[in-house]
Amino acid sequence: MTDVLLSELSDVGRDPAGGVTRFAWATAELELREWFAERAAGLGLDVETDGNGNLWAWWGASLPGTAFVVGSHLDSVRSGGDFDGPLGVASAFAAVESLTASGWMPSRPIAVVAFADEEGGRFGLACLGSRLLTGAVEPARALSLTDDDGTTLAEAMTAAGHDPRRVGHDAERLARIGAFVELHIEQGRMPVADGARGLAGAGRPIGVAREIWPHGRWRIDLTGVPDHSGTTALADRVDPVLAMAHGIVEVRRAAEDLGILGTVGRVRVLPGAVNAIAASASLWIDARGEDPRRVRELVAQVERSLGIESALESWTDVTRFDAALTADVTAAVGGEVPSLPSGAGHDAGVLSLAGVPTAMLFVRNPTGVSHSPEEHAEGSDAETGVAALTAVVRRMAG
Ligand SMILES: [Zn+2]
């Protein structure tokens, strides 16, 4: 079922450079929003867009009790894969479809959700839709974030027909979410309880999430003295690109030293002319690992080495998923499912930090690779995921 749903999306945002690029509030993502509304309507669900741009498809919205929510996100990173996000939304629709077809009726409201701007691919801050909803990000800060063209989030929302004045903490909606289960493509080859690496290593089609590693993003801005590359002696230069290069190497050295993950995947050099010594250079550090003290220590080591302080752009502490809900999910799928940590952040983590009982289901990704066209799920594994999600909804909302 999910392969049919995902095939409906396969052309949307197809990037000539490979994979799909589906940035928040841009053309491709708006097409996905239409797809969501059509799919939901086809299943007889009531669709609404909340103030933060998250999409909700309700089944039995007027039933008593809090909602049991399933879903994920639809946006992608630049040249991302087909599964990160859409697999969770498509699986949620497939679960609702199979329950409807079987004549089953919920006893509490069920919602399929697609959170807005999960990847932060355009405005640089991940999980914006869920973070705004829970109040983890101030609306003014979010709305003034800019993309590479200098467009603010507020302007992008307005252009897409969404009123940015509606953005912000939505306590009423948050209180309505009784539990959230996010199904997601597996990312990486994380250690599975029995010592195997990843679900492929464990030989299992699905798993449950144990925790999300603490992770943060920092920016370091280095300034230089801009000048002509052909007329300035090497000894006279203040070149921020050299310092940036040193910083990048330091991130890797410190990460190895501390046994965590540290990455520089984004740099900015201004003005960016081939024949000019740069006026400024910035690098972004993404650091994460099991131990939050080590993650912070990596940044401190890089700061000391460069003699400059970084600017913290985001920090998320270790996120533990709800043990009772995870036990329910495990029982619903027949018990004895491998559990693994997540090195990636998710909307489920944001909701969990806001006090919502949350669990995650991972579908085996044989390559382990994500945020890339190499990301993959076999159709039969995706169907195992749908069957699991269906069983979870049946158990939790029956
Ligand atoms: Zn994702």
Side-chain angles (χ1 to χ4, degrees), residues 131-346:
R131 278 184 161 142
L132 283 164
L133 167 73
T134 62
V137 174
E138 286 300 317
R141 182 185 171 210
L143 291 171
S144 63
L145 293 170
T146 54
D147 66 10
D148 288 345
D149 298 328
T151 305
T152 64
L153 172 63
E155 288 164 349
M157 279 183 168
T158 305
H162 186 84
D163 186 350
R165 287 171 304 186
R166 292 177 61 205
V167 161
H169 186 205
D170 190 345
E172 200 180 318
R173 182 172 300 272
L174 190 59
R176 225 183 147 196
I177 308 171
F180 176 49
V181 175
E182 180 170 4
L183 178 147
H184 203 279
I185 184 78
E186 179 190 17
Q187 297 171 289
R189 296 192 189 284
M190 303 298 279
V192 179
D194 59 7
R197 291 186 67 214
L199 293 171
R204 305 291 291 272
I206 57 170
V208 291
R210 195 157 61 227
E211 65 189 20
I212 297 178
W213 281 350
H215 63 284
R217 292 181 182 188
W218 291 262
R219 188 188 73 250
I220 294 182
D221 297 317
L222 302 150
T223 47
V225 178
D227 209 329
H228 194 297
S229 65
T231 61
T232 318
L234 293 178
D236 294 340
R237 298 181 183 194
V238 182
D239 187 345
V241 175
L242 285 181
M244 183 185 79
H246 173 73
I248 294 168
V249 173
E250 261 311 281
V251 168
R252 173 63 184 239
R253 187 208 53 76
E256 285 178 8
D257 183 41
L258 294 161
I260 60 167
L261 301 177
T263 307
V264 177
R266 181 178 187 192
V267 298
R268 183 176 60 200
V269 176
L270 294 174
V274 177
N275 57 354
I277 297 152
S280 71
S282 301
L283 66 102
W284 278 260
I285 302 172
D286 174 302
R288 40 188 112 198
E290 209 167 338
D291 179 356
R293 286 165 306 178
R294 288 177 184 231
V295 176
R296 290 203 178 87
E297 175 58 20
L298 176 145
V299 180
Q301 286 189 13
V302 176
E303 286 176 333
R304 277 200 296 276
S305 166
L306 289 171
I308 191 168
E309 274 189 26
S310 64
L312 175 68
E313 293 202 332
S314 70
W315 170 256
T316 312
D317 224 328
V318 62
T319 308
R320 299 198 198 286
F321 292 104
D322 188 80
L325 180 62
T326 301
D328 275 319
V329 168
T330 307
V333 301
E336 224 244 312
V337 187
S339 79
L340 51 165
S342 173
H346 297 285

